[in-house]
Amino acid sequence: IITLFIIILVICFQLGSLAAFLQPSPPDPFFIVGYGNAIFRMDMDGKNPRRVVTGTGTSILLDFHFKDGSIYWAEGHTGLISKVSMNGTQRQVFDRDILFCISGLAVDWTHNALYWTNREKGTIYRIDITGKNERIISKQLSKPSCITIDPNHRFLFWLSDGITPSIQRSDENGEMTTTLLKVPDRLETLSIDFSDKRLFWIQRAADQHTAVGSCDYNGNVINVFSQPLRSQTLKMSVFLDFVYITETAPRGIVRVNKYTGGPAEKMNHNPMSRRPREIRVVHPFNQPVVKISVPSSAVCLYTGCNQSSGGCVRVCSDHNVKGQCQCRDGFTLSKHGNICEDVNECALWNHGCSLGCENIPGSYFCTCPHGYLLMPDMKTCQGNSEPQNNGTLCEHTCVHTQQGDVCLCPEGSVLHSDERLCIGCSSADRGGCSHKCITLGPGKWECECSSGYQLQPDGKNCTATGPPAYLLLANVVDIRLMNTDGTGSRKLLEESRGKIVALDYDPVENKVYFSSTAPGRVERVDLDGGSRELLVSAGLESPEGLAVDWVSRKLYWTDRGLSTIERSSLNGQNREVIMNKDIRKPRGIVIHPQAQKLFWTDMGGSPVVASADLAGGHRRVLARDGLLAPSGLALDYSPGRVYWCDQRRGTLESTNLDGTDRRKLTENQVGHPFDLTVFEDLLWVSDMEGHLLFKLHKTSGQTPQLLHTNSFQPAGLAVVHPLSKPGADLCLYKNGGCAQVCESRYGSARCSCYAHYVLSADDRECISANASMPKTGYQPYETFLFLSDQDDCYSLRCDVNAQCLVEQGDVACRCLQGFRGDGELCVDIDECTAGLADCVNPGSECMNTAGGYFCQCRPGFSGDSQHCSDIDECRLSLHDCDRMAQCLNIEGSYQCRCPVGYTGNGFTCQGWLFVFVCVCTHPCNCISTNRHQKQIYMAPGQALQLATVMSSMLISLQN
């Protein structure tokens, strides 16, 4: 029996070894990366990059279905969801209602479904991978993003970017939603480690320090280690023992040990020519269909920074391992001395909070119950009084307390140092951001820009890339083009044939559409001049407003005489009335093609600013109170706001697209405004009655600048720039002027050629590659060739910054000018560090760009980059010195010095003997215009006694 048992064991062992031998080895893992306007796959060592698909958009979110062999991606801005096989074939776009602002995408490989989040709407959607059964599974969430899924445990996880950033979890049906974790820093991305069943994230503090954190599926067993990362936008994917992270500065992929962190290891040895976006590691381990065990060699965790940088050191997870361990602020060592545990500050006498305290990993914040208000010190709760609106003292609300009157700000904003104004994402200035204000935590935020715009060094303003913008002006008797500062005016159309009061332009066909009154006409003319074309003349009385839908190719206009809003094709055909009821005197009109909405003003007996869908249905009043004669309208597409002017009240106001957050910019400073337009950070306003044209800041509305033009009667306005009308497909009309291949990007048509052709000098025509190649040397071309699968060039997988060329009968990839490499991978040449730039002026600096560079004046200097001169901040009052301090100009900057008898750093100077007292007879009317004044509220009798005592003190001091 024993012998038989041993034989059976040997046979079983051999059969097991044979089965293991016959079992196919798992495939090699590889990356899929969103890179430029394409998706690439590459080996885990960063080599062998191969383009899978192009034309994906630059703000994509991606995931994969390993068993199905497909890659899914969503363009975050447009909302398009697409799929393609991993070999680059069978591309498909999902046929669904377009919803913008997709902020996260995840594939359920078990139940064959897609999930995505919409940050703006606060919703999570689900759809089958067949493109059917789309539905909302969760709503009313706080800015969800970065959704990920473990279908084996039937969990959804996502980031919530509310006042306090957090990680949320629900089941696959969107039910049983719970908060796993709250952190004091901004959460940037989220990923799942399927081997250890843990969530990994990257967090960024207000001082830009970054860290990698992880926890289990219940938000417990938290581990955070500091990891210096320079990118502003980070994506990550976890595989086995490493976290793989995309960095946009420098451009590439790095990996760090998921347990210990440490120095980041570069996966690509040369910087990429463009910024990598989304990343996934493709392997069965990252989409397990059953519970699998992935061996792990790491036994140690890491918390904080390395010891050399003065932070935290290695912390081992094995209780038998002893060592000197140290934790960052907000954490403490466990009793075994090997794990950093969160300190519950709220358990320590509420840590200074007067009523409520909420603990979060590494920190805490104070809360107040219903009926109480959190004071500006962010610790004290005040009750027993209601907030009072008081525009005299406080920007938001004024609260009476026993200690005096206090100004309060809305949630998400903090009180300015003047103790009156509010700053932050929920305040009137939106944190000072041009486009997007991102709340990082209580009293913390940062600004972001929309695609095609660049954030300026001040961290707030966004400027458009591309050519300079210019203005179109309906001048009643003609149409004019001019620079945005009012200079360089020239006539586009001279013969009016009526009063030209409204205009708009189509960026696809480069045509200007305009309407005239007396008689009523709608016409168009080429943007570069030429003959005019009459589109509509019959059945018009007073068409004073006009707008072009450059996406759906429609023309809309208002008729104040007929009390209608109409639309037609761009050639004036297919005319239809879309609104003629409950409308009196419509004037201004603008179109938002992406939101599928039109907005108009009505100057009738019940003046309103309203919106509807593009067919005139689903009408909604955005503003009614306080309006007298709302005239012009303008849309700021990047932050999503609508502006209008009131001709009789002389006011400029704005609101969100849904009518919320109404704000007044200015009143009685721009005459009788007729129309307005907005671009970047500026508004231009026309006063037809006063023959005036103004320019002012779109957020503050302060100090309007009168533009000196020779215009007759400025009326309708429009800004011409590739980004002023986002989403325009310039390839729709005459193929964008391209002979072969056209690609529309950021409002510009980019031409390229098929195989065996190259782009000619005009960047539009294509000529034979054999005929164009010089006999000696290689002349680089500036446009990448988009080729079909059958072309010889396609098999080479040339880099997006390379040109496929025919050389002596063979094809080869050659990097474009400004790039270097083997043609399959081309990296940017940094002319600035290589000493190739021609920025010779000592006041200028070199800024590297993809494929080139440019010179600009350093901060503290001004000029044309080749001739930079020092800015005298003192003479121009551009300094922040204290009013008592002396300003001293130095090259590129300035210094502040306090005078004799004062102390301070120059930006703040304090006197030795002087005290200023502001005595108020009503607590909410105390206004301090001097930073040295102290505000005191007291009865008149008390004030007289105080004055007597202080007079005696001053006499004693003089003696």
Side-chain angles (χ1 to χ4, degrees), residues 502-505 512-515 521-523 543-548 555-558 587-590:
L503 55 73
D504 199 1
Y505 84 101
V512 178
Y513 292 76
F514 59 96
S515 62
R521 306 162 64 95
V522 175
E523 302 174 77
E544 296 184 0
L546 180 141
V548 173
L555 182 64
Y556 292 77
W557 66 87
T558 62
R587 209 212 68 76
I589 185 170
V590 288

PDB file of all heavy atoms in Angstrom, residues 502-505 512-515 521-523 543-548 555-558 587-590:
ATOM      1  N   ALA A 502     -25.181  94.361 -36.770  1.00  0.00           N
ATOM      2  CA  ALA A 502     -24.831  93.071 -36.175  1.00  0.00           C
ATOM      3  C   ALA A 502     -23.952  92.289 -37.138  1.00  0.00           C
ATOM      4  O   ALA A 502     -24.098  92.397 -38.365  1.00  0.00           O
ATOM      5  CB  ALA A 502     -26.079  92.269 -35.836  1.00  0.00           C
ATOM      6  N   LEU A 503     -23.037  91.477 -36.583  1.00  0.00           N
ATOM      7  CA  LEU A 503     -22.192  90.629 -37.421  1.00  0.00           C
ATOM      8  C   LEU A 503     -21.669  89.447 -36.615  1.00  0.00           C
ATOM      9  O   LEU A 503     -21.702  89.429 -35.387  1.00  0.00           O
ATOM     10  CB  LEU A 503     -21.024  91.427 -38.027  1.00  0.00           C
ATOM     11  CG  LEU A 503     -20.065  92.206 -37.123  1.00  0.00           C
ATOM     12  CD1 LEU A 503     -19.106  91.326 -36.349  1.00  0.00           C
ATOM     13  CD2 LEU A 503     -19.269  93.191 -37.959  1.00  0.00           C
ATOM     14  N   ASP A 504     -21.198  88.450 -37.340  1.00  0.00           N
ATOM     15  CA  ASP A 504     -20.519  87.283 -36.792  1.00  0.00           C
ATOM     16  C   ASP A 504     -19.706  86.682 -37.928  1.00  0.00           C
ATOM     17  O   ASP A 504     -19.853  87.101 -39.085  1.00  0.00           O
ATOM     18  CB  ASP A 504     -21.516  86.266 -36.223  1.00  0.00           C
ATOM     19  CG  ASP A 504     -20.864  85.291 -35.242  1.00  0.00           C
ATOM     20  OD1 ASP A 504     -19.647  85.418 -35.001  1.00  0.00           O
ATOM     21  OD2 ASP A 504     -21.563  84.400 -34.724  1.00  0.00           O
ATOM     22  N   TYR A 505     -18.855  85.719 -37.632  1.00  0.00           N
ATOM     23  CA  TYR A 505     -18.059  85.140 -38.719  1.00  0.00           C
ATOM     24  C   TYR A 505     -18.003  83.622 -38.576  1.00  0.00           C
ATOM     25  O   TYR A 505     -18.197  83.060 -37.491  1.00  0.00           O
ATOM     26  CB  TYR A 505     -16.654  85.739 -38.745  1.00  0.00           C
ATOM     27  CG  TYR A 505     -15.664  85.098 -37.798  1.00  0.00           C
ATOM     28  CD1 TYR A 505     -14.725  84.168 -38.257  1.00  0.00           C
ATOM     29  CD2 TYR A 505     -15.652  85.422 -36.453  1.00  0.00           C
ATOM     30  CE1 TYR A 505     -13.823  83.585 -37.391  1.00  0.00           C
ATOM     31  CE2 TYR A 505     -14.748  84.851 -35.583  1.00  0.00           C
ATOM     32  CZ  TYR A 505     -13.825  83.930 -36.064  1.00  0.00           C
ATOM     33  OH  TYR A 505     -12.933  83.353 -35.199  1.00  0.00           O
ATOM     34  N   VAL A 512     -17.727  86.544 -43.277  1.00  0.00           N
ATOM     35  CA  VAL A 512     -18.364  87.420 -42.298  1.00  0.00           C
ATOM     36  C   VAL A 512     -19.835  87.551 -42.662  1.00  0.00           C
ATOM     37  O   VAL A 512     -20.179  87.892 -43.802  1.00  0.00           O
ATOM     38  CB  VAL A 512     -17.698  88.803 -42.276  1.00  0.00           C
ATOM     39  CG1 VAL A 512     -18.413  89.727 -41.289  1.00  0.00           C
ATOM     40  CG2 VAL A 512     -16.219  88.678 -41.910  1.00  0.00           C
ATOM     41  N   TYR A 513     -20.719  87.275 -41.696  1.00  0.00           N
ATOM     42  CA  TYR A 513     -22.162  87.419 -41.873  1.00  0.00           C
ATOM     43  C   TYR A 513     -22.600  88.678 -41.133  1.00  0.00           C
ATOM     44  O   TYR A 513     -22.169  88.915 -39.992  1.00  0.00           O
ATOM     45  CB  TYR A 513     -22.896  86.194 -41.335  1.00  0.00           C
ATOM     46  CG  TYR A 513     -22.645  84.935 -42.146  1.00  0.00           C
ATOM     47  CD1 TYR A 513     -21.446  84.240 -42.044  1.00  0.00           C
ATOM     48  CD2 TYR A 513     -23.614  84.458 -43.028  1.00  0.00           C
ATOM     49  CE1 TYR A 513     -21.205  83.097 -42.802  1.00  0.00           C
ATOM     50  CE2 TYR A 513     -23.386  83.316 -43.782  1.00  0.00           C
ATOM     51  CZ  TYR A 513     -22.183  82.649 -43.670  1.00  0.00           C
ATOM     52  OH  TYR A 513     -21.957  81.517 -44.423  1.00  0.00           O
ATOM     53  N   PHE A 514     -23.462  89.482 -41.766  1.00  0.00           N
ATOM     54  CA  PHE A 514     -23.889  90.722 -41.133  1.00  0.00           C
ATOM     55  C   PHE A 514     -25.338  91.024 -41.502  1.00  0.00           C
ATOM     56  O   PHE A 514     -25.847  90.564 -42.536  1.00  0.00           O
ATOM     57  CB  PHE A 514     -22.973  91.889 -41.525  1.00  0.00           C
ATOM     58  CG  PHE A 514     -22.897  92.163 -43.005  1.00  0.00           C
ATOM     59  CD1 PHE A 514     -23.696  93.141 -43.602  1.00  0.00           C
ATOM     60  CD2 PHE A 514     -22.032  91.447 -43.809  1.00  0.00           C
ATOM     61  CE1 PHE A 514     -23.625  93.403 -44.952  1.00  0.00           C
ATOM     62  CE2 PHE A 514     -21.952  91.709 -45.174  1.00  0.00           C
ATOM     63  CZ  PHE A 514     -22.747  92.686 -45.746  1.00  0.00           C
ATOM     64  N   SER A 515     -25.980  91.783 -40.632  1.00  0.00           N
ATOM     65  CA  SER A 515     -27.374  92.172 -40.858  1.00  0.00           C
ATOM     66  C   SER A 515     -27.485  93.685 -40.839  1.00  0.00           C
ATOM     67  O   SER A 515     -26.743  94.375 -40.127  1.00  0.00           O
ATOM     68  CB  SER A 515     -28.292  91.556 -39.793  1.00  0.00           C
ATOM     69  OG  SER A 515     -27.958  92.022 -38.507  1.00  0.00           O
ATOM     70  N   ARG A 521     -31.843  93.339 -44.095  1.00  0.00           N
ATOM     71  CA  ARG A 521     -31.106  92.439 -44.979  1.00  0.00           C
ATOM     72  C   ARG A 521     -30.141  91.605 -44.155  1.00  0.00           C
ATOM     73  O   ARG A 521     -29.639  92.041 -43.106  1.00  0.00           O
ATOM     74  CB  ARG A 521     -30.292  93.229 -46.030  1.00  0.00           C
ATOM     75  CG  ARG A 521     -31.091  94.211 -46.855  1.00  0.00           C
ATOM     76  CD  ARG A 521     -30.184  95.241 -47.519  1.00  0.00           C
ATOM     77  NE  ARG A 521     -29.270  94.644 -48.474  1.00  0.00           N
ATOM     78  CZ  ARG A 521     -29.497  94.565 -49.788  1.00  0.00           C
ATOM     79  NH1 ARG A 521     -30.633  95.049 -50.280  1.00  0.00           N
ATOM     80  NH2 ARG A 521     -28.624  94.034 -50.599  1.00  0.00           N
ATOM     81  N   VAL A 522     -29.852  90.384 -44.640  1.00  0.00           N
ATOM     82  CA  VAL A 522     -28.796  89.537 -44.091  1.00  0.00           C
ATOM     83  C   VAL A 522     -27.866  89.195 -45.249  1.00  0.00           C
ATOM     84  O   VAL A 522     -28.317  88.672 -46.280  1.00  0.00           O
ATOM     85  CB  VAL A 522     -29.349  88.257 -43.435  1.00  0.00           C
ATOM     86  CG1 VAL A 522     -28.201  87.358 -42.988  1.00  0.00           C
ATOM     87  CG2 VAL A 522     -30.237  88.600 -42.244  1.00  0.00           C
ATOM     88  N   GLU A 523     -26.565  89.485 -45.090  1.00  0.00           N
ATOM     89  CA  GLU A 523     -25.604  89.285 -46.168  1.00  0.00           C
ATOM     90  C   GLU A 523     -24.339  88.632 -45.613  1.00  0.00           C
ATOM     91  O   GLU A 523     -24.169  88.450 -44.403  1.00  0.00           O
ATOM     92  CB  GLU A 523     -25.250  90.636 -46.808  1.00  0.00           C
ATOM     93  CG  GLU A 523     -26.440  91.393 -47.369  1.00  0.00           C
ATOM     94  CD  GLU A 523     -26.055  92.769 -47.860  1.00  0.00           C
ATOM     95  OE1 GLU A 523     -25.473  92.853 -48.955  1.00  0.00           O
ATOM     96  OE2 GLU A 523     -26.320  93.752 -47.130  1.00  0.00           O
ATOM     97  N   PRO A 543     -33.554  93.219 -38.168  1.00  0.00           N
ATOM     98  CA  PRO A 543     -32.667  92.148 -37.669  1.00  0.00           C
ATOM     99  C   PRO A 543     -31.431  92.749 -36.984  1.00  0.00           C
ATOM    100  O   PRO A 543     -30.428  93.035 -37.630  1.00  0.00           O
ATOM    101  CB  PRO A 543     -32.294  91.394 -38.942  1.00  0.00           C
ATOM    102  CG  PRO A 543     -32.392  92.407 -40.028  1.00  0.00           C
ATOM    103  CD  PRO A 543     -33.486  93.355 -39.633  1.00  0.00           C
ATOM    104  N   GLU A 544     -31.503  92.906 -35.667  1.00  0.00           N
ATOM    105  CA  GLU A 544     -30.445  93.597 -34.929  1.00  0.00           C
ATOM    106  C   GLU A 544     -29.469  92.648 -34.249  1.00  0.00           C
ATOM    107  O   GLU A 544     -28.510  93.102 -33.618  1.00  0.00           O
ATOM    108  CB  GLU A 544     -31.062  94.533 -33.893  1.00  0.00           C
ATOM    109  CG  GLU A 544     -31.873  95.662 -34.517  1.00  0.00           C
ATOM    110  CD  GLU A 544     -32.395  96.633 -33.478  1.00  0.00           C
ATOM    111  OE1 GLU A 544     -32.111  96.422 -32.270  1.00  0.00           O
ATOM    112  OE2 GLU A 544     -33.082  97.604 -33.853  1.00  0.00           O
ATOM    113  N   GLY A 545     -29.730  91.364 -34.314  1.00  0.00           N
ATOM    114  CA  GLY A 545     -28.817  90.390 -33.722  1.00  0.00           C
ATOM    115  C   GLY A 545     -28.591  89.240 -34.680  1.00  0.00           C
ATOM    116  O   GLY A 545     -29.522  88.814 -35.378  1.00  0.00           O
ATOM    117  N   LEU A 546     -27.353  88.706 -34.731  1.00  0.00           N
ATOM    118  CA  LEU A 546     -27.038  87.658 -35.691  1.00  0.00           C
ATOM    119  C   LEU A 546     -25.947  86.770 -35.100  1.00  0.00           C
ATOM    120  O   LEU A 546     -25.024  87.254 -34.426  1.00  0.00           O
ATOM    121  CB  LEU A 546     -26.586  88.282 -37.005  1.00  0.00           C
ATOM    122  CG  LEU A 546     -26.210  87.357 -38.164  1.00  0.00           C
ATOM    123  CD1 LEU A 546     -26.712  87.926 -39.478  1.00  0.00           C
ATOM    124  CD2 LEU A 546     -24.691  87.193 -38.216  1.00  0.00           C
ATOM    125  N   ALA A 547     -26.034  85.447 -35.340  1.00  0.00           N
ATOM    126  CA  ALA A 547     -25.045  84.501 -34.817  1.00  0.00           C
ATOM    127  C   ALA A 547     -24.909  83.320 -35.765  1.00  0.00           C
ATOM    128  O   ALA A 547     -25.888  82.869 -36.359  1.00  0.00           O
ATOM    129  CB  ALA A 547     -25.432  84.011 -33.423  1.00  0.00           C
ATOM    130  N   VAL A 548     -23.669  82.815 -35.885  1.00  0.00           N
ATOM    131  CA  VAL A 548     -23.360  81.671 -36.742  1.00  0.00           C
ATOM    132  C   VAL A 548     -23.119  80.441 -35.871  1.00  0.00           C
ATOM    133  O   VAL A 548     -22.374  80.514 -34.888  1.00  0.00           O
ATOM    134  CB  VAL A 548     -22.110  81.957 -37.600  1.00  0.00           C
ATOM    135  CG1 VAL A 548     -21.673  80.704 -38.359  1.00  0.00           C
ATOM    136  CG2 VAL A 548     -22.380  83.094 -38.568  1.00  0.00           C
ATOM    137  N   LEU A 555     -27.435  79.581 -39.523  1.00  0.00           N
ATOM    138  CA  LEU A 555     -27.400  81.014 -39.284  1.00  0.00           C
ATOM    139  C   LEU A 555     -28.644  81.414 -38.503  1.00  0.00           C
ATOM    140  O   LEU A 555     -29.756  81.051 -38.885  1.00  0.00           O
ATOM    141  CB  LEU A 555     -27.337  81.773 -40.612  1.00  0.00           C
ATOM    142  CG  LEU A 555     -27.256  83.301 -40.538  1.00  0.00           C
ATOM    143  CD1 LEU A 555     -25.954  83.744 -39.873  1.00  0.00           C
ATOM    144  CD2 LEU A 555     -27.370  83.894 -41.932  1.00  0.00           C
ATOM    145  N   TYR A 556     -28.459  82.145 -37.398  1.00  0.00           N
ATOM    146  CA  TYR A 556     -29.570  82.575 -36.542  1.00  0.00           C
ATOM    147  C   TYR A 556     -29.599  84.103 -36.515  1.00  0.00           C
ATOM    148  O   TYR A 556     -28.555  84.758 -36.556  1.00  0.00           O
ATOM    149  CB  TYR A 556     -29.382  82.054 -35.108  1.00  0.00           C
ATOM    150  CG  TYR A 556     -29.509  80.559 -34.955  1.00  0.00           C
ATOM    151  CD1 TYR A 556     -28.477  79.709 -35.341  1.00  0.00           C
ATOM    152  CD2 TYR A 556     -30.656  79.989 -34.415  1.00  0.00           C
ATOM    153  CE1 TYR A 556     -28.580  78.328 -35.197  1.00  0.00           C
ATOM    154  CE2 TYR A 556     -30.760  78.618 -34.257  1.00  0.00           C
ATOM    155  CZ  TYR A 556     -29.730  77.798 -34.651  1.00  0.00           C
ATOM    156  OH  TYR A 556     -29.849  76.441 -34.502  1.00  0.00           O
ATOM    157  N   TRP A 557     -30.824  84.675 -36.425  1.00  0.00           N
ATOM    158  CA  TRP A 557     -30.933  86.124 -36.257  1.00  0.00           C
ATOM    159  C   TRP A 557     -32.214  86.471 -35.501  1.00  0.00           C
ATOM    160  O   TRP A 557     -33.188  85.700 -35.483  1.00  0.00           O
ATOM    161  CB  TRP A 557     -30.893  86.849 -37.599  1.00  0.00           C
ATOM    162  CG  TRP A 557     -32.061  86.603 -38.521  1.00  0.00           C
ATOM    163  CD1 TRP A 557     -33.252  87.260 -38.563  1.00  0.00           C
ATOM    164  CD2 TRP A 557     -32.135  85.594 -39.537  1.00  0.00           C
ATOM    165  NE1 TRP A 557     -34.058  86.747 -39.540  1.00  0.00           N
ATOM    166  CE2 TRP A 557     -33.394  85.726 -40.167  1.00  0.00           C
ATOM    167  CE3 TRP A 557     -31.264  84.595 -40.001  1.00  0.00           C
ATOM    168  CZ2 TRP A 557     -33.812  84.891 -41.201  1.00  0.00           C
ATOM    169  CZ3 TRP A 557     -31.663  83.774 -41.031  1.00  0.00           C
ATOM    170  CH2 TRP A 557     -32.925  83.929 -41.623  1.00  0.00           C
ATOM    171  N   THR A 558     -32.172  87.631 -34.840  1.00  0.00           N
ATOM    172  CA  THR A 558     -33.346  88.158 -34.142  1.00  0.00           C
ATOM    173  C   THR A 558     -33.946  89.273 -34.988  1.00  0.00           C
ATOM    174  O   THR A 558     -33.232  89.977 -35.711  1.00  0.00           O
ATOM    175  CB  THR A 558     -32.975  88.718 -32.762  1.00  0.00           C
ATOM    176  OG1 THR A 558     -32.051  89.806 -32.923  1.00  0.00           O
ATOM    177  CG2 THR A 558     -32.337  87.652 -31.890  1.00  0.00           C
ATOM    178  N   ARG A 587     -33.007  91.153 -29.227  1.00  0.00           N
ATOM    179  CA  ARG A 587     -31.909  91.850 -29.886  1.00  0.00           C
ATOM    180  C   ARG A 587     -30.650  90.982 -29.974  1.00  0.00           C
ATOM    181  O   ARG A 587     -30.370  90.377 -30.977  1.00  0.00           O
ATOM    182  CB  ARG A 587     -31.597  93.179 -29.193  1.00  0.00           C
ATOM    183  CG  ARG A 587     -31.037  94.183 -30.194  1.00  0.00           C
ATOM    184  CD  ARG A 587     -30.044  95.168 -29.626  1.00  0.00           C
ATOM    185  NE  ARG A 587     -28.790  94.619 -29.214  1.00  0.00           N
ATOM    186  CZ  ARG A 587     -27.794  94.246 -30.031  1.00  0.00           C
ATOM    187  NH1 ARG A 587     -27.960  94.308 -31.331  1.00  0.00           N
ATOM    188  NH2 ARG A 587     -26.666  93.797 -29.562  1.00  0.00           N
ATOM    189  N   GLY A 588     -29.880  90.881 -28.900  1.00  0.00           N
ATOM    190  CA  GLY A 588     -28.643  90.115 -28.949  1.00  0.00           C
ATOM    191  C   GLY A 588     -28.895  88.617 -29.020  1.00  0.00           C
ATOM    192  O   GLY A 588     -29.873  88.106 -28.463  1.00  0.00           O
ATOM    193  N   ILE A 589     -28.003  87.885 -29.708  1.00  0.00           N
ATOM    194  CA  ILE A 589     -28.107  86.429 -29.799  1.00  0.00           C
ATOM    195  C   ILE A 589     -26.714  85.840 -29.968  1.00  0.00           C
ATOM    196  O   ILE A 589     -25.873  86.393 -30.682  1.00  0.00           O
ATOM    197  CB  ILE A 589     -29.039  85.998 -30.959  1.00  0.00           C
ATOM    198  CG1 ILE A 589     -29.224  84.475 -30.966  1.00  0.00           C
ATOM    199  CG2 ILE A 589     -28.528  86.497 -32.298  1.00  0.00           C
ATOM    200  CD1 ILE A 589     -30.299  83.987 -31.913  1.00  0.00           C
ATOM    201  N   VAL A 590     -26.440  84.738 -29.268  1.00  0.00           N
ATOM    202  CA  VAL A 590     -25.185  83.997 -29.399  1.00  0.00           C
ATOM    203  C   VAL A 590     -25.505  82.503 -29.367  1.00  0.00           C
ATOM    204  O   VAL A 590     -26.536  82.082 -28.834  1.00  0.00           O
ATOM    205  CB  VAL A 590     -24.174  84.337 -28.279  1.00  0.00           C
ATOM    206  CG1 VAL A 590     -23.598  85.724 -28.462  1.00  0.00           C
ATOM    207  CG2 VAL A 590     -24.823  84.202 -26.907  1.00  0.00           C
TER     208      VAL A 590
END
